[in-house]
Each structure stands twice: as C-alpha cells, then as structure tokens.
Amino acid sequence: MANPLVAEYVRLFNDKSRISLIEGYYTTYDATSQKQMPFITFPRQKAFLQTLATNKNVIAIKHRQAGITTTTSAWIAGQCVFADKNSPETVLCIANQKAMAQEFMSKIVTFIEQTPRWIFGPQYYDADPKNPKNFKPIFVKKNQSEFELFNGCKCYARSAKKDASRGVSGTSILAIDESAFIEASEDVFASALSSTITNPNARTIMVSTPNGKDRLYYKTYMQALSGENNFKVVDFFWWQDLRFNRFLEWHRTDEDGNEEIIKETVLDKLGNIPYDEERWAKLKKEGWNPISPWYIETCRSLNNDRKRIAQEIEISFVGSTDCVILPEIVSMQREKNVIQITDDWELRDPLEKDTWIWKDPIPGHRYIIAADVSSGSSEDATAIEVIDCDAVDENGYPYFEQVLEYNGMKNGEICGDILFKYGTFYNMGLVVVDCIGGWGEMVINQLVKLKYPNLYREDPNLKDFTLGDTVNKRKEKAEDERLPGFRTNAVRTQMLDKLRERLTDNSFRVRSMRVINELDTWVWKNGRPDHMSGFHDDTLTCLAMALFVMEFYMFRKMRNAAKDAAMIRSWRSSKSFQTIEDIQGSVPKDIDDMSKPRHPLPFYSTSSAERRASQRARAMLMLGGFKTKR
C-alpha cells in the first residue's frame, strides 16, 4: 500500500508556486479578525506566486497592507524546505532598515517552523509523537540576522548599504523589500547583485510601495513594463484585494459634469463581490475610479493627503512636483492610449527588435517620420517616431497618432537605411532628421544617396512661426537648394511646449510605454524641460520635433497651397468663398494630392460637447482662416 505522505510530498514538491504548501499548511495573522488564520491566497497573490515559479526576476508594485512581503516570505520558506542538500538556497534579504530586513527573515523562519516535520524526512519525523526525532532541531544556526537550515540553506538579513552582501556568496534568492525607500539604491543593488554572479540560477525579487521616481525601483519597474529589462511585473491594486473591495463602487464624471456610479453586486452581508479583474481593468481604462468603505477610511487615516493616497493606496509614482506634464495627464495617456507590445504581437520588424509597430500605413494618410540620432554611446539612444497626421477616432474626430517607434543604438548609415525603409513603407512620409548636434548629418547623406523624395529641408521662416503668415519672409534659397534636416535651435522651447499642449488636450495619442516612462521623469530644470538625472528624453525630443514641423511647416505649406488654388479658382468663376468647406470643394483637380486639406487639426478635448464644437471651429479657422458653417 502506497504511503499517502509520499504522494503528498510529491504533490507539494512539484507545485513550484508553493500555493499548495502555503494554503495547505501555513497560517498568517489576520488584522481584521486579530488572530492566526489559514493562509488562503487571493487571486493576485496566486498570480504573484505563479510568476515567482516561472521567472528569475520579479518586481511587484503594491498598495498599503497588501501582504506581499508575507507572501514572498512564505514562498522563500517553501524553496528552503524543498531544497536539495547538494544545491541549497542562499537567501539575502535587504531592506531600508536592518530591523525591517530582520522582520522579513523572521517571517521566513516562522513559515519554515510551520512546515510539517514529515516533509523534512525520516531523520526529523516519526509517527510516534513522543519519538525524539520530532524534537530534533531543524536549524543549525538561528539568530536575528542569520539562519542555517539542516539541509544547508542559509538566509541573511542586511540593511541597505553598499556592503550589504559582504560575507555572502552564491546568493540564489535576492529579496529586496520596500526597494523604493532605499538611499543610494543603485549602488546598494549593484553590490547585492554581485553576490549572485556565481549562481546562474539566481533570482531577484523586488517588492515595494511607490516612493516617487527613485533611481532603482521606479526605473526597474518602468523598464520592465516597456520590455527593456528581464524583470516580470506583478501589479497589486487595492480593488483586487478581497479584504478591501467589499461594497465596491465605480465613480466618474460625464461630459456634462454629472456623476455616474456603478455599484458592484453584493454577495453577502459582509459586502463581498464577484471577482472580475478583466472587467475592472476595462472600467479603469474608461475613466472609472473605484471607491469602497475601506478606501474612504484609509484616505481619512492619511489626512486625505493626495500625494500619500496616490503612492500608498493608488500605487502611483507621484512625488516630483516639478513635472513638465501633470501626473494626471500622464496617467490619462497611459490608461486610455498606451498599447502594450506583447510577446504575441503580430506587427513586427523582424530585423529590428527595438522597433514597436502599432498600425500599418493607411492608403491616403499623411505621415511624418522624425529621427533624433544618437552618438552611439551607452548613455544616448536613437529615437525614430512615425506619426499618422490623418487618424480619426470612432466618433469621427481627428487626432495625431503614434504608429511606430524605434529606440535603440543604431546610428549613421544604418539609421539612414532604417528611415528609408519606414518612410517608404508609410506612404513616402515627410522625414525630419535632427541635425542640431551633428549626428544626423550621416543619416541625411545616406537618405540623399538613396534618393528619398520627401525630406524636410531647413526653413529659416520657422524661427518666425509665432508671427503667422503675414510677416515679411526672410530672403531664402529655393526649397530644393536648402540643406535637408532640422537645425532650428531657436524653437526648442516652443517645440516642447507644443508637445505638452498636444498631450494635455489628448490631440496626440501616445501608444508607447517608453514615451510614458520618459514623461514620468520629464521635469523643469532652470526653467527648461529636461530629463531627471539618470533618465532620458530621446523619444520626447523626437516627438516634439515631429509635431512642431508637422504643424508649422507641413500643414502651413499645404494650407497655403490650398488657399492659392482656391483663389485662382475664384478668379476664374468670380465666386466668393465664405467657408472652409467651399474652399476644400473648389481645389482644382491638378493640384498635388499633398496640398489638399484632409480634415481640421485635432484641437479638441472630451470635456463637453459645447467645448468640442468650439474647438473644432477653431481648428477650421486655423486651417484656412475662414468661417465655418453652422
């Protein structure tokens, strides 16, 4: 007859998420009932444990009281319990303060001691409860800062210092608690990571509540979201926690200023509700905000401090008061517009892994392709952005849309080849290359060599764009005699201001998480927009240049051509045109297609129907300076 304990051991051993061990044998303190309770994991904790089982590097962002440190401790305990004596685990627990690291390790010890002794083997267990084997110590060494288990597993608790890993080698599990609160975090992490070098299977776990835009946790988290490192992200939102989402409601304000409310179905007197992560994520993307009695009470305990609420409950990286773009605008772009490039995403450039593609070209649409070329150093990356000038949303409103982005280390002729390929693919779009720093010259030479037909050429009148079309034009060469490339240093500030406007009124839709990452660390320095130390703004500069040239060069040129054509037509027919619709309907057939206005510029928002109508009228006027039909 088979021993049932053997079958149970095999079942627990094979479950690498350790959920079976945790839920079957561990208990934890429940603050609500104020007593030890069976450790039953809720859905997001299960997702976290499953991620730990299948990924070497995991980063978790959590709300207040999420219990993720406890969950991590339970998983590590399971790893130690089932470790092979020939390959024991070496765990390094790091926290901002030594006491916190010791508490982390203490939880691991507690869970190991809760493990049934028969799992440790026949040397430590006998069916007779009085047998001395059942009292044999399982720890070879145990104190506040270190322990060693009978099977060779070791654990160290250290405060976050540059020498945190001193005396520790072959680390197999590096666990950093409240990573965002560590001072000199990059140096601490680099030092701790050095202890894992000799272990090819080493794992790194970062867990934290946000604390502004720090150099380690925030940077690691945002790069993980955009696929720039090898960390796997697990998010913990409070409304996914079964303890805190009781009597959950969703609130938002409609376009007319009226509050809308959705109340979740209540299953019992305790206020428990059906669990539906997918539906909740959709509601959040549509602008709904969750509220529950727990949320309201916790906000009160934080004195309704918006910054603390954002960081501790809403897991927002608020903290920099000098951001160029307001955090709520960045959040709006992230939640409404960003499209994640997943592993199974179909639109790809097989030759360029750093290229993200969201849409194929649409026949008849105009595109602008901008490039901010790097020096090729490790601190500088090339950015290429493709923008659809003629995108229209489901309601028929026009907007500018990011459809492709490259962000990598290519430069020179190779970058020129890439631009030629993307420009040709996107309807021979207008290619704008930043030559201010000189690195774009090689790219321009390659494009000229390849005879790309639609290059932006330096326009001296761009410096006077704020004066409109009535100024006396500078004496200039014919367009085909000008140098290709963008060299207008004088408009950098205005260029970035225009990007800020487009992001704020949602007339430009960001699809890239890389852009969101840069927006989060785009701050005011000496009165000028710039990136925070240790971060970058390559994609932002590129997008700003593209939108600026598109609005004050490409569109103006087209508007002027359309108006000239309309004037010639009016002279022939002696007809007076009063509206932009009349002008668009009277452009001669022989005018080049690129001269035809497609639709008004997207100067609109979703604030109210009346405001949208006003802004559409404004857009019409900017296109041609004519009245609009009522």
Side-chain angles (χ1 to χ4, degrees):
M1 184 176 177
N3 188 337
L5 292 182
V6 173
E8 177 67 354
Y9 182 93
V10 171
R11 184 181 75 88
L12 297 175
F13 177 83
N14 288 334
D15 181 5
K16 304 304 180 183
S17 72
R18 304 306 174 206
I19 295 174
S20 299
L21 175 67
I22 293 169
E23 294 195 332
Y25 298 95
Y26 291 169
T27 64
T28 186
Y29 181 76
D30 180 53
T32 304
S33 59
Q34 298 185 346
K35 61 181 180 180
Q36 287 291 122
M37 298 287 289
F39 196 157
I40 304 301
T41 57
F42 57 83
R44 290 310 293 167
Q45 288 175 326
K46 282 184 169 66
F48 177 61
L49 291 166
Q50 289 161 351
T51 303
L52 289 176
T54 54
N55 295 272
K56 287 186 177 182
N57 301 294
V58 178
I59 183 166
I61 183 171
K62 66 184 183 70
H63 59 86
R64 198 181 199 193
Q65 302 172 10
I68 303 310
T69 301
T70 302
T71 305
T72 305
S73 301
W75 183 81
I76 293 174
Q79 293 298 100
C80 292
V81 164
F82 288 107
D84 188 331
K85 287 185 178 180
N86 297 318
S87 183
E89 300 283 1
T90 299
V91 183
L92 177 57
C93 300
I94 295 179
N96 192 34
Q97 299 175 358
K98 188 173 184 179
M100 291 177 62
Q102 290 174 339
E103 183 181 356
F104 194 161
M105 192 192 79
S106 175
K107 290 182 178 182
I108 298 173
V109 170
T110 298
F111 287 124
I112 290 175
E113 291 175 337
Q114 289 180 8
T115 305
R117 291 186 67 91
W118 55 263
I119 289 179
F120 301 142
Q123 294 181 354
Y124 298 89
Y125 173 74
D126 189 89
D128 180 4
K130 296 181 180 180
N131 192 302
K133 290 183 178 181
N134 295 312
F135 303 97
K136 186 177 180 180
I138 58 173
F139 288 99
V140 176
K141 179 181 182 180
K142 185 177 69 170
N143 55 46
Q144 285 187 320
S145 301
E146 180 181 348
F147 76 71
E148 181 177 351
L149 203 57
F150 70 94
N151 59 4
C153 290
K154 298 178 181 180
C155 183
Y156 303 87
R158 300 285 174 86
S159 61
K161 297 180 179 179
K162 293 182 180 180
D163 62 350
S165 62
R166 185 178 59 186
V168 182
S169 61
T171 299
S172 58
I173 300 176
L174 172 60
I176 308 178
D177 193 25
E178 293 297 356
S179 318
F181 294 83
I182 294 176
E183 296 181 8
S185 53
E186 287 182 307
D187 294 334
V188 172
F189 181 60
S191 173
L193 204 60
S194 66
S195 70
T196 69
I197 292 176
T198 59
N199 193 325
N201 298 314
R203 300 169 181 268
T204 301
I205 307 169
M206 282 192 193
V207 177
S208 190
T209 304
N211 182 35
K213 295 158 188 173
D214 67 289
R215 295 282 295 273
L216 174 63
Y217 180 74
Y218 168 80
K219 196 171 185 178
T220 305
Y221 175 81
M222 299 308 286
Q223 288 187 357
L225 286 181
S226 58
E228 298 175 73
N229 60 28
N230 57 3
F231 275 82
K232 188 73 173 178
V233 172
V234 183
D235 293 325
F236 290 89
F237 297 104
W238 70 263
W239 63 86
Q240 298 168 333
D241 193 313
L242 305 182
R243 299 166 297 173
F244 308 140
N245 67 6
R246 293 167 179 169
F247 299 105
L248 184 67
E249 295 179 356
W250 296 86
H251 293 235
R252 76 174 178 184
T253 303
D254 65 19
E255 295 177 355
D256 297 321
N258 300 316
E259 186 177 24
E260 299 177 290
I261 301 176
I262 297 175
K263 294 185 178 183
E264 296 288 349
T265 303
V266 177
L267 301 176
D268 53 34
K269 292 182 179 180
L270 294 176
N272 290 307
I273 62 173
Y275 192 88
D276 193 342
E277 270 187 31
E278 186 175 341
R279 175 174 169 274
W280 296 338
K282 184 179 178 182
L283 287 172
K284 198 72 176 68
K285 194 175 183 67
E286 292 172 351
W288 295 88
N289 294 309
I291 294 176
S292 76
W294 174 87
Y295 175 84
I296 294 171
E297 187 59 33
T298 306
C299 288
R300 287 174 179 167
S301 71
L302 296 173
N303 296 319
N304 294 308
D305 184 320
R306 280 309 310 167
K307 180 179 174 181
R308 292 187 64 194
I309 291 169
Q311 292 188 169
E312 296 190 34
I313 305 179
E314 297 170 354
I315 60 173
S316 170
F317 288 97
V318 176
S320 179
T321 57
D322 56 353
C323 291
V324 176
I325 306 296
L326 293 174
E328 54 263 34
I329 299 300
V330 179
S331 295
M332 177 271 291
Q333 288 283 347
R334 179 190 292 114
E335 293 172 6
K336 289 189 175 183
N337 299 332
V338 167
I339 300 174
Q340 293 279 13
I341 301 295
T342 56
D343 293 338
D344 58 351
W345 192 257
E346 294 183 358
L347 296 178
R348 293 185 182 275
D349 182 344
L351 301 179
E352 301 297 340
K353 65 179 179 63
D354 294 316
T355 293
W356 292 351
I357 304 172
W358 292 276
K359 279 189 180 180
D360 281 332
I362 299 173
H365 278 216
R366 298 165 296 177
Y367 294 90
I368 188 164
I369 300 98
D372 184 4
V373 186
S374 76
S375 62
S377 70
S378 59
E379 296 299 317
D380 195 14
T382 290
I384 296 174
E385 302 287 351
V386 180
I387 298 174
D388 184 351
C389 307
D390 296 306
V392 180
D393 66 18
E394 62 276 9
N395 297 315
Y397 294 118
Y399 64 95
F400 304 139
E401 180 177 22
Q402 184 183 28
V403 294
L404 179 146
E405 178 181 83
Y406 169 83
N407 195 210
M409 304 309 297
K410 303 285 178 66
N411 59 9
E413 292 185 356
I414 297 175
C415 186
D417 292 338
I418 295 173
L419 278 170
F420 182 85
K421 175 172 65 174
Y422 294 155
T424 304
F425 185 60
Y426 283 94
N427 301 347
M428 290 296 176
L430 177 65
V431 171
V432 186
V433 180
D434 180 15
C435 295
I436 294 174
W439 299 107
E441 302 290 354
M442 289 185 291
V443 177
I444 289 291
N445 289 338
Q446 181 67 3
L447 288 168
V448 171
K449 179 181 176 181
L450 294 171
K451 298 181 180 180
Y452 188 79
N454 195 16
L455 289 174
Y456 168 79
R457 295 174 181 273
E458 191 173 26
D459 183 358
N461 290 302
L462 208 62
K463 296 179 181 180
D464 296 326
F465 77 97
T466 54
L467 302 179
D469 290 325
T470 60
V471 297
N472 293 324
K473 297 297 184 183
R474 298 170 183 265
K475 291 182 180 180
E476 58 188 65
K477 299 178 181 179
E479 185 170 353
D480 58 359
E481 296 178 0
R482 300 178 200 153
L483 290 173
F486 184 88
R487 299 175 181 81
T488 316
N489 256 326
V491 297
R492 174 179 168 81
T493 300
Q494 295 91 334
M495 187 175 79
L496 295 173
D497 281 345
K498 286 298 172 183
L499 172 62
R500 185 171 52 169
E501 285 182 24
R502 298 290 160 267
L503 292 168
T504 301
D505 66 14
N506 202 29
S507 58
F508 173 63
R509 310 285 173 86
V510 174
R511 301 303 185 200
S512 170
M513 198 61 212
R514 289 186 291 217
V515 174
I516 296 297
N517 292 353
E518 292 188 4
L519 285 173
D520 272 327
T521 55
W522 201 32
V523 297
W524 293 106
K525 285 187 178 180
N526 300 318
R528 293 182 47 163
D530 204 349
H531 57 82
M532 290 172 60
S533 178
F535 296 90
H536 304 282
D537 60 2
D538 307 311
T539 64
L540 299 184
T541 303
C542 190
L543 286 171
M545 178 176 64
L547 291 169
F548 184 81
V549 170
M550 177 177 66
E551 183 170 339
F552 293 105
Y553 170 77
M554 186 171 83
F555 283 171
R556 176 169 291 183
K557 179 181 175 183
M558 295 174 187
R559 291 198 302 268
N560 289 341
K563 286 192 288 186
D564 290 343
M567 289 176 65
I568 294 171
R569 181 77 174 183
S570 68
W571 292 338
R572 291 176 180 173
S573 62
S574 298
K575 180 180 178 182
S576 176
F577 298 104
Q578 298 298 319
T579 67
I580 187 104
E581 290 86 351
D582 293 333
I583 290 173
Q584 289 177 330
S586 46
V587 177
K589 298 294 184 183
D590 57 345
I591 295 296
D592 185 275
D593 184 64
M594 289 296 284
S595 301
K596 297 178 184 178
R598 307 301 175 95
H599 50 64
L601 292 176
F603 294 95
Y604 73 95
S605 71
T606 57
S607 58
S608 70
E610 182 179 351
R611 184 177 176 187
R612 289 200 303 272
S614 172
Q615 291 176 328
R616 287 198 300 273
R618 176 184 167 210
M620 293 280 198
L621 291 169
M622 289 194 67
L623 269 177
F626 293 85
K627 298 177 182 177
T628 58
K629 287 181 178 178
R630 294 289 181 184

